[in-house]
Structures are given as C-alpha cells and as structure tokens.
C-alpha cells in the first residue's frame, strides 16, 4: 500500500513537471511591463512617505500575519491536528507578515528590484495554502510532504523572473491555485466545519484583483481620494482575516 502511494505521488509530480515544461516550450516569454510601476496614486500625503496610501495600506498584512503566527503556536489555539498543518499555517502567516514589510518597501521605491520583495512573500503564502488544502482535503502526509517543494517552486519562480525577465513560472504559481483550490473545495468533502470562510476569502481575493486592474479608473471615480491599488491591499488583507476567523471557530466534521 505504501509503495502504491509513493508511485502515485511521483506520477503526479512527473505529470505536473511535464505539463509545465510543455507550457514553457510552446508559450512566449512574458516580460515585466514597466508601466506596472506607474500607479494612479503617487501622492506624498504626510511624514515624507512617497506613495503614502499604497505604502500604509500594507500595515494590515503585518498585524494579521503576526497575530496568526502567535495564535498558531500559543497553546495550540487553532487546534491544529498535525505537524504538517502547523508548519503550513506557520509559513502562510509568515508570508502574510512578510507581505506587509516587502510590499511597503516596494511601494516606497517602485521598480523591478524592489518588486521581488513584494512578490516573494506572496508566493510563500500562495504555495502554503495549496499544501494546506491537500492536507485537509486529500491526505495529511501528501500535503505535508508537498509543502517544501511547493514553497521552493514558488521561490524559484521569483528568481527566474528576476534573472530572465519572464513571468511565466510566477503566473503558474499565482493562478494555478485559483483553479485547483475551488475545484478541490467543490469535489472533496471538508475535514473541518466553517469551510464557507474559504469562499469569503476567495471572494475578497478576486475583488482585490479587480481593484488592482482598475487602479486608475477607481482613482478617477473617487475624485482622487483613493486608488484601486490601495483598495486592493485592503481587500487582499481580508483573506488572512477570514482564514484566521475560520481557524478560531472550526471543529472537525463529524463525518470525517
């Protein structure tokens, strides 16, 4: 039985690697658009902080991430059932905390070099969430063993973009979870109660992406009060807020 499990695991990883290689061969490189750094709201409102609102709107990530890290390890407040869950959620909250620092740094000096420190912690959070979903919905051991490869793959996607100016691996890391996680949520029964919080988190993440795309129109619509990118930060910070509420409230489903 154990040998069969390992065979299926390696087949799955090999299939994923083969699909990725084919995508890299048949699709053109995606360079970073330099206009990405041209945000709508570039005001210095106070304290001499450039791009003030885009910088300060990252503070919620820092507070939520630190709170999650503390609660993960304080008397097992979240009632996590395995070491795999503990390490996955720890990495998720570490990523969220680092987003608060890295994204603030990026928005102080928006350029490709500082963007690395914005995107790197985000990949840690994304990939940790995938491992968490595997642990909860598929198999604890499979999810635990996938955590390190997923996080390393995410970090390598950032390094690849940084060295070769090609966003394709990063795009895979960011958008594949957006497909895989909802499918797993629909097809595989949850291990815990309060799983609807995942849907709230996903909804706020999608809203954040819309606001990011509509950065300048939102700035115009609000008469230069707030930009879409600032709202994007605030909505994206609601993702770990809802997941923290879920962890605090949930219990194991009786049927599982």
């Amino acid at each position: 039985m154990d040998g069969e499990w390992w065979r299926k695991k390696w087949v799955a990883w090999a299939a994923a690697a083969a699909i990725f290689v084919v995508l890299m061969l048949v699709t053109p490189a995606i360079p970073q658009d330099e206009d990405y750094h041209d945000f709508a709201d570039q005001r210095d409102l106070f304290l001499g902080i450039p791009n003030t609102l885009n910088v300060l709107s990252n503070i919620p990530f820092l507070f939520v991430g630190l709170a999650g890290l503390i609660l993960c390890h304080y008397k097992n407040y979240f009632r996590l059932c395995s070491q795999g869950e503990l390490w996955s959620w720890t990495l998720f909250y570490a990523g969220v905390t680092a987003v608060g620092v890295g994204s603030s740094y990026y928005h102080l000096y928006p350029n490709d070099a500082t963007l690395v420190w914005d995107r790197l912690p985000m990949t840690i959070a994304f990939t940790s969430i995938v491992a968490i979903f595997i642990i909860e919905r598929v198999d604890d051991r499979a999810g635990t063993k996938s955590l390190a490869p997923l996080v390393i793959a995410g970090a390598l996607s950032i390094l690849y973009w940084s060295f070769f100016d090609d966003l394709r691996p990063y795009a895979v890391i960011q958008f594949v979870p957006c497909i895989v996680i909802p499918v797993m949520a629909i097809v595989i029964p949850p291990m815990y109660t309060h799983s609807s919080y995942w849907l709230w988190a996903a909804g706020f993440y999608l809203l954040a992406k819309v606001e990011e795309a509509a950065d300048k129109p939102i700035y115009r619509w609000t008469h230069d009060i707030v930009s879409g990118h600032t709202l994007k930060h605030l909505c994206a910070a609601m993702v770990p807020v809802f997941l923290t509420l879920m962890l605090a409230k949930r219990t194991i489903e009786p049927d599982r």
Side-chain angles (χ1 to χ4, degrees):
M1 184 69 178
D2 194 61
E4 180 69 12
W5 182 88
W6 277 103
R7 187 185 70 81
K8 290 181 178 179
K9 174 188 173 182
W10 286 111
V11 167
W13 279 109
I19 292 171
F20 175 75
V21 170
V22 170
L23 285 174
M24 292 294 288
L25 290 174
V26 302
T27 58
I30 305 174
Q32 178 64 54
D33 185 357
E34 288 304 311
D35 288 340
Y36 179 84
H37 308 301
D38 182 27
F39 297 105
D41 187 357
Q42 301 182 22
R43 294 172 295 173
D44 176 350
L45 294 178
F46 53 88
L47 301 178
I49 301 174
N51 311 305
T52 306
L53 292 184
N54 281 346
V55 172
L56 297 183
S57 56
N58 285 289
I59 292 176
F61 289 107
L62 186 62
F63 285 119
V64 177
L66 288 173
L69 281 172
I70 292 169
L71 294 176
C72 273
H73 294 273
Y74 178 73
K75 297 181 180 179
N76 195 22
Y77 181 82
F78 288 145
R79 300 178 298 279
L80 301 174
C81 295
S82 70
Q83 284 296 308
E85 279 190 300
L86 177 62
W87 285 112
S88 298
W89 282 110
T90 296
L91 275 176
F92 170 73
Y93 282 115
V96 171
T97 304
V99 166
V101 177
S103 186
S104 296
Y105 174 54
Y106 163 64
H107 284 287
L108 283 171
Y109 315 103
N111 58 65
D112 284 359
T114 55
L115 185 56
V116 169
W117 303 107
D118 182 11
R119 286 178 170 166
L120 181 59
M122 282 194 288
T123 64
I124 295 173
F126 289 143
T127 51
S128 298
I129 284 293
V130 175
I132 288 165
F133 243 76
I134 296 172
I135 289 171
E136 292 186 5
R137 303 285 177 135
V138 181
D139 178 75
D140 179 85
R141 182 170 60 167
T144 300
K145 290 184 179 296
S146 70
L147 176 61
L150 286 169
V151 172
I152 291 170
L156 288 176
S157 75
I158 298 297
L159 289 174
Y160 185 88
W161 158 64
S162 179
F163 280 104
F164 300 106
D165 192 25
D166 185 358
L167 286 168
R168 287 178 296 170
Y170 174 72
V172 170
I173 293 296
Q174 186 174 28
F175 292 110
V176 165
C178 296
I179 299 171
V180 172
I181 288 176
V183 169
M184 292 173 67
I186 293 170
V187 173
I188 306 174
M191 176 180 176
Y192 294 102
T193 61
H194 293 84
S195 59
S196 61
Y197 279 85
W198 284 108
L199 299 178
W200 282 103
F204 270 92
Y205 180 75
L206 290 174
L207 178 58
K209 299 305 289 184
V210 171
E211 290 166 338
E212 180 181 32
D215 180 33
K216 292 178 180 178
I218 289 174
Y219 195 54
R220 289 196 302 269
W221 297 337
T222 61
H223 302 284
D224 298 353
I225 294 174
V226 65
S227 69
H229 204 85
T230 295
L231 293 177
K232 173 238 181 176
H233 289 161
L234 298 176
C235 278
M238 290 302 296
V239 173
V241 168
F242 275 107
L243 296 183
T244 302
L245 290 173
M246 177 190 73
L247 289 172
K249 293 183 176 184
R250 72 183 188 176
T251 57
I252 295 178
E253 282 280 10
D255 293 341
R256 294 293 295 272

